[in-house]
Amino acid sequence: MDMTKTVPLDRSATVLVAGSTGLVGSVVIRHLHEQGFTSVVGAHTADVDLTDPAATTEYFDSIRPAVVVDAAARVGGIDANNSEPVEFLNDNLRIQTNLFTAAHAVGVDRLLFLGSSCIYPKYSPQPIPESALLTGPLEETNDAYAIAKIAGVIAVRSYRRQYGRRWISAMPTNVYGPGDSFHPTRSHVLPALIRRFHEAVESGAEEVVVWGTGTPRREFIHVDDLAAACLHLLDHYDDPEPVNVGCGTDVSIAQLASLVADAVGFTGRITWDVSKPDGTPRKLLDTSRLAGIGWKPAIDLVDGLRDTARWYADSVGAS
Ligand code: GFB
């Protein structure tokens, strides 16, 4: 497969980033500016309701982007996915379908669709190669979200095949960083634990309860690394197959809890609420395809976690 056949994007092209106030979209916008892009437009729900087909078409017609980064999605942690599968399925399907339809209508030639490592089967070989897609049953707690994201991958392939669009898909592992959602129950594990351990330190609590058994393993990528990878892919990748974006190593949730405790200075007990689901036993991505086109991550988990915990402490201190 020739994966380096594309030429870098024109820095004066109008780039539309959908999901511009989200964790990933906001950092992609910063990276675009840092890389010299002169016409960057961010779209979030106040600008356009991407679940509305007519509004989406009208919005794209007014912006007429040449390049689109699709970072717009309904996202959440294991509990949110598990308790609201209908919204996770329907909203994500609507957002993608409307956005792809509108992008095609105005002739967008380069588009990056962001998926998720949960598209792969629950019991995939580890590390998970892109070829594992559609080879087995999904993890039940997030199958609705995963099916929507799989539909996105297939849509990107289909626009390529039927209309020759040079659209691509990236599958990031679990993302974290400053600006994330730190909701106590709806967020992903890393921000949820930063908040819980931080609050324990503030209140002097001797115990922090963490969900599940602590044995599942997850790979975490800092949002700055993910944004850099997205731009690298838009400059250097043009192929129907999705590309995994990860950092190459994983940790157990028990190890993560200890790392968060160290980062926020919690010295009490960690206990486990095994009534909460563990989800997929392990999700470590095979990133050799991305490495093959010359990109590797730069931010170590311990450093990224410490910076994110500091950002959280500063932001709650300021509010
Ligand atoms: O981050 P998380 O919600 O996402 O959970 P997934 C990861 C693991 O951390 C699970 C455990 O085993 C959780 O049981 N965990 C422990 C916690 N304490 C907590 C806590 O306080 N909050 C949370 N959220 N988890 C999501 C998918 O799966 O990953 C999405 O549901 C998406 O669809 C996302 O793909 C990247 O990795 O399990």
Side-chain angles (χ1 to χ4, degrees):
M1 185 187 317
D2 176 10
M3 295 185 291
T4 56
K5 58 196 171 198
T6 193
V7 288
L9 295 179
D10 172 2
R11 269 41 190 168
S12 65
T14 296
V15 185
L16 175 65
V17 180
S20 59
T21 53
L23 173 66
V24 180
S26 58
V27 179
V28 166
I29 288 176
R30 173 160 52 76
H31 280 235
L32 285 164
H33 286 303
E34 286 167 5
Q35 288 210 9
F37 284 84
T38 52
S39 178
V40 179
V41 180
H44 65 106
T45 40
D47 304 307
V48 55
D49 176 5
L50 293 173
T51 65
D52 177 339
T56 307
T57 301
E58 198 180 315
Y59 182 75
F60 269 71
D61 211 29
S62 70
I63 305 292
R64 301 231 143 228
V67 181
V68 171
V69 177
D70 178 11
R74 174 184 283 269
V75 297
I78 192 166
D79 204 50
N81 271 269
N82 203 19
S83 52
E84 294 157 24
V86 173
E87 283 74 21
F88 276 81
L89 181 70
N90 290 349
D91 285 353
N92 287 310
L93 284 173
R94 284 190 186 109
I95 290 168
Q96 288 160 208
T97 305
N98 295 339
L99 189 144
F100 293 164
T101 305
H104 176 60
V106 298
V108 170
D109 179 51
R110 290 292 277 161
L111 178 149
L112 173 71
F113 169 66
L114 278 158
S116 163
S117 58
C118 71
I119 64 164
Y120 296 116
K122 176 169 186 169
Y123 300 108
S124 291
Q126 305 287 328
I128 312 172
E130 289 87 352
S131 58
L133 184 62
L134 296 171
T135 57
L138 298 164
E139 154 61 26
E140 301 78 9
T141 54
N142 57 32
D143 56 3
Y145 178 75
I147 284 288
K149 290 295 184 182
I150 291 170
V153 173
I154 302 297
V156 163
R157 272 191 205 160
S158 302
Y159 276 97
R160 292 182 66 97
R161 196 168 80 214
Q162 190 173 340
Y163 297 113
R165 295 283 180 219
R166 299 185 312 124
W167 295 3
I168 55 175
S169 301
M171 296 304 120
T173 189
N174 293 35
V175 191
Y176 74 98
D180 204 349
S181 161
F182 289 77
H183 191 279
T185 54
R186 299 184 54 81
S187 69
H188 292 100
V189 61
L190 194 149
L193 294 189
I194 288 178
R195 177 175 182 155
R196 205 169 301 144
F197 281 97
H198 176 87
E199 288 175 353
V201 170
E202 296 280 287
S203 69
E206 288 170 5
E207 178 186 280
V208 165
V209 179
V210 182
W211 298 354
T213 60
T215 58
R217 299 186 70 83
R218 294 289 184 272
E219 178 188 14
F220 296 95
I221 189 161
H222 191 279
V223 65
D224 263 290
D225 272 339
L226 174 57
C230 290
L231 269 55
H232 188 85
L233 287 169
L234 280 167
D235 276 340
H236 300 293
Y237 188 77
D238 186 17
D239 193 278
E241 296 308 312
V243 184
N244 288 341
V245 184
C247 68
T249 52
D250 61 354
V251 291
S252 70
I253 298 303
Q255 288 169 320
L256 179 74
S258 297
L259 290 175
V260 175
D262 289 348
V264 306
F266 175 78
T267 53
R269 266 189 329 276
I270 297 173
T271 56
W272 298 91
D273 176 0
V274 295
S275 71
K276 292 287 190 185
D278 271 343
T280 312
R282 191 176 186 200
K283 272 192 291 187
L284 175 64
L285 293 177
D286 178 342
T287 52
S288 42
R289 182 169 289 168
L290 184 55
I293 54 167
W295 188 86
K296 58 178 176 24
I299 304 170
D300 173 73
L301 177 60
V302 172
D303 296 336
L305 203 158
R306 197 190 43 234
D307 290 349
T308 307
R310 195 177 301 132
W311 180 90
Y312 176 73
D314 289 348
S315 69
V316 288
S319 61

